[in-house]
Amino acid sequence: MSDIPDAPRFEHGADFIGEVGGGIDETHVTLGIYGKDLNPGEISKLLGCVPTHSHLRGEKRRRGPPAVEGAWVFTVKGESPAEPNELLRMLLARIPSGGAFWQELRARFKIRISFALFVTEWVRGFELDPSLLARLAAMGVSVGFSIYSEREGD
């Protein structure tokens, strides 16, 4: 359940102006592992799960030049009321938790957790649970956030 209260509505007479506050409308949480010598099959075996997307260095992409490095990418997606914390927990439940495991993997590859946050109204937000932050810190991965506004009528 959300710790974020319902968004206040702003009205002018009979006209609805907008909502401010509330949770994120849609979230994608992604674990990305990248490297020149990355073999997606090896990473899948190490992690015990298959990626939602992967490619080898030099593979053709839909657009642009061939990939300059290999990639293993696993994404969990959800829409409100699913929250970023819940989706991150789902992703982390699928992968090993040992710090030594991630230290070895980081020695060979770049590793990143990314949040793609999609909002349709003003001032949306969330907080990451301290236990999840501790898990990310133990993994030693970077964390990135991309925020996309998809306001209707704009």
Side-chain angles (χ1 to χ4, degrees), residues 16-151:
F16 172 71
I17 297 173
E19 285 183 352
V20 176
I24 304 298
D25 298 303
E26 182 178 349
T27 304
H28 302 182
V29 182
T30 299
L31 168 64
I33 303 174
Y34 309 94
K36 290 189 179 205
D37 299 323
L38 184 137
N39 178 329
E42 175 193 4
I43 301 300
S44 294
K45 191 173 185 178
L46 289 170
L47 296 179
C49 65
V50 296
T52 51
H53 168 79
S54 67
H55 62 260
L56 293 166
R57 178 181 181 201
E59 279 189 18
K60 285 192 168 196
R61 298 186 293 182
R62 284 181 273 183
R63 286 177 263 168
V68 295
E69 60 186 0
W72 187 98
V73 178
F74 180 74
T75 301
V76 176
K77 299 178 182 181
E79 294 182 6
S80 182
E83 298 178 353
N85 274 313
E86 177 184 351
L87 298 169
L88 179 57
R89 271 190 196 89
M90 291 171 59
L91 186 147
L92 294 175
R94 300 283 306 270
I95 59 176
S97 60
F101 172 86
W102 291 100
Q103 185 177 2
E104 288 180 32
L105 213 54
R106 282 193 327 270
R108 297 176 55 203
F109 306 111
K110 292 178 281 187
I111 306 172
R112 176 184 167 123
I113 296 282
S114 302
F115 288 80
L117 308 164
F118 300 86
V119 295
T120 58
E121 297 296 337
W122 305 336
V123 191
R124 299 293 175 139
F126 72 101
E127 296 176 1
L128 285 175
D129 184 90
S131 65
L132 296 172
L133 291 172
R135 172 90 187 268
L136 295 176
M139 292 170 64
V141 299
S142 64
V143 180
F145 298 88
S146 297
I147 303 165
Y148 302 90
S149 176
E150 298 180 341
R151 290 185 45 103

